[in-house]
Amino acid sequence: MDADLKSIAAARRCAETAFDAYRKFLGTDPAHIDAIVQAMADAIEPEAKRLGEMAVAETGYGNADHKRVKDLMNARGTADWLRDVTTLGMLWRDDATKIAAFGEPMGVVAALIPVTNPCSTVIFKVLSAVKAGNAIVCAPHPRGVKCGLEVVRIMANVADQMGAPKGLIQCLDQVTIQGTAELMKHRRTSVVMATGGPGMVKAAYSSGKPTLAVGAGNVPCYVHQSKRRELGEVAEMIIASKSFDYGTACVSEQAVIADPQIARDLRHELKLKGAYFCTPAEADGLAKIIFTDRQAMNPERVGQSPERLAELAGFSIPPRTKCLVSEESEVGWQRPLSAEKLNPVLAFYEAKDSAHGIELAHAIAKFEGWGHSAVIHADDPQIVAQFATIPTGRVLVNVPAIHGGAGYATDLEPSFMLGTGTWSGSITSDNVTALHLINIKRVAYANRPWRDIYQEYGA
């Protein structure tokens, strides 16, 4: 049997088993579900270091210690938030309107897992799906199958021990594009959660099933002159976020835009925090190795260290460099480094004034990154309000992009699935959570005489 047939067979088997488990799981006491969710999250903690190392070894992407942090952030942060959220049973009631809302599971969730976050995304999606009373089948990237299987094994074993039906949490062990497509369109699949590249998102929306899918992000970071006294902190936030896990998070900063009054000082502070500003020739060399001739990221250059990228581009950098920076003035494919880069590489723009800085931020967000996220560092509320007209689902103020967007340094919902809205063809611009994985049933009592319709509108 060839690989596609094996993958299709695995998808069908998992979908049917998951559906049976979901039916058995229906009606489980929400308090018991909460206990299962917490136990699964607890089980990840002692394994996080090993899972981080495993992810880097299998995929070749990212920083093992940072992946450990991602796994813990999803296990602890997601579980902590879910503990206080009601997903099943009565969600709310309004005695004045005589309406009550009840949450019910959707069924079987098909969860597509990106190669850039092969463990942390599984953790987030499994906790969210089970909290909502669903079964889940994970479809990892072919380059992250071992990671996906191991995380699911850990979490499923705990759920089984606590009385969840076997098959509630599964992972495809044979993965091809055709097999993943079969899982998404299978008659037992109720909803698709898709995280990945544009091609995968398009395939998910073409599956014929209700789909939560998120697209690419080209996150601009505008630094206003009102932050003059805090440029050291601003620079540290930018470098910490962009260098985290070697830039594999699509919510991390992609371009820094500085007001002219502070541009020189910000460059200096960025250098102190580990940024290396490339010469024009070095930047051109970086662009050639990061992108292909087809105006797309080279997958072999994703999540690589600054040292490795510089070596491939043919130049050397100082020790302890955390991020490579290219000075830019244009936005578009004529300057590839103005696009999304899933590695520790930043574009840097010096604006003519604040209006031009905001204009550049809009142009960057619209170029290969509509709808995702944008960052502003400013103490002027009017400037923040002007910047917030940018076409993105999140506008993050005075925080690192990854820490703010994922809900750690802000009170946004903790999530590793950030909706990009209709700007980029997504059904939601929310931080996706378990609340997106339930059907909400309204029970509505009569609140006015039904016969009055004839007097009001005529018969």
Side-chain angles (χ1 to χ4, degrees), residues 170-248:
Q170 298 182 68
C171 180
L172 297 184
D173 59 354
Q174 305 280 338
V175 181
T176 66
I177 292 174
Q178 286 77 7
T180 299
E182 177 67 20
L183 175 66
M184 290 192 290
K185 69 183 182 181
H186 195 276
R187 68 189 184 109
R188 297 304 193 190
T189 294
S190 302
V191 62
V192 177
M193 291 182 82
T195 310
M200 184 281 303
V201 170
K202 183 178 179 180
Y205 275 120
S206 301
S207 68
K209 293 299 176 81
T211 296
L212 294 160
V214 298
N218 194 18
V219 180
C221 173
Y222 170 52
V223 185
H224 184 252
Q225 59 183 297
S226 59
K227 300 301 286 188
R228 179 187 299 276
R229 297 180 183 275
E230 303 167 61
L231 291 180
E233 173 69 5
V234 170
E236 185 170 356
M237 285 191 274
I238 293 169
I239 298 300
S241 178
K242 182 55 178 171
S243 64
F244 188 74
D245 200 21
Y246 293 155
T248 53

Side-chain angles (χ1 to χ4, degrees), residues 28-209:
T28 300
D29 185 345
H32 185 50
I33 292 177
D34 285 345
I36 294 173
V37 169
Q38 187 61 55
M40 290 193 296
D42 291 343
I44 291 297
E45 295 210 25
E47 302 285 0
K49 183 176 185 296
R50 180 175 67 87
L51 290 173
E53 293 169 349
M54 185 176 181
V56 172
E58 183 178 7
T59 67
Y61 293 168
N63 177 303
D65 190 56
H66 290 177
K67 288 194 180 294
R68 176 187 65 83
V69 173
K70 281 183 177 179
D71 294 347
L72 290 175
M73 185 168 71
N74 276 281
R76 291 181 189 169
T78 302
D80 288 348
W81 186 81
L82 290 174
R83 193 177 301 118
D84 297 323
V85 173
T86 300
T87 54
L88 302 172
M90 184 180 287
L91 305 179
W92 52 264
R93 58 181 287 176
D94 187 329
D95 292 334
T97 60
K98 297 183 181 179
I99 296 176
F102 295 82
E104 297 191 357
M106 287 185 169
V108 175
V109 178
L112 277 60
I113 310 300
V115 66
T116 48
N117 296 298
C119 297
S120 53
T121 310
V122 172
I123 296 165
F124 165 72
K125 291 186 178 181
V126 167
L127 294 177
S128 300
V130 174
K131 169 71 178 187
N134 300 301
I136 180 169
V137 180
C138 295
H141 187 279
R143 198 163 159 172
V145 174
K146 292 178 182 177
C147 293
L149 286 169
E150 181 61 8
V151 180
V152 165
R153 182 192 68 79
I154 293 167
M155 301 180 83
N157 283 350
V158 171
D160 291 349
Q161 291 167 15
M162 296 193 66
K166 288 189 178 297
L168 191 74
I169 304 162
Q170 298 182 68
C171 180
L172 297 184
D173 59 354
Q174 305 280 338
V175 181
T176 66
I177 292 174
Q178 286 77 7
T180 299
E182 177 67 20
L183 175 66
M184 290 192 290
K185 69 183 182 181
H186 195 276
R187 68 189 184 109
R188 297 304 193 190
T189 294
S190 302
V191 62
V192 177
M193 291 182 82
T195 310
M200 184 281 303
V201 170
K202 183 178 179 180
Y205 275 120
S206 301
S207 68
K209 293 299 176 81

Side-chain angles (χ1 to χ4, degrees), residues 402-427:
I402 188 170
H403 304 74
Y408 182 82
T410 65
D411 272 334
L412 293 175
E413 299 87 346
S415 179
F416 249 47
M417 190 171 178
L418 308 185
T420 52
T422 55
W423 293 291
S424 64
S426 176
I427 193 60

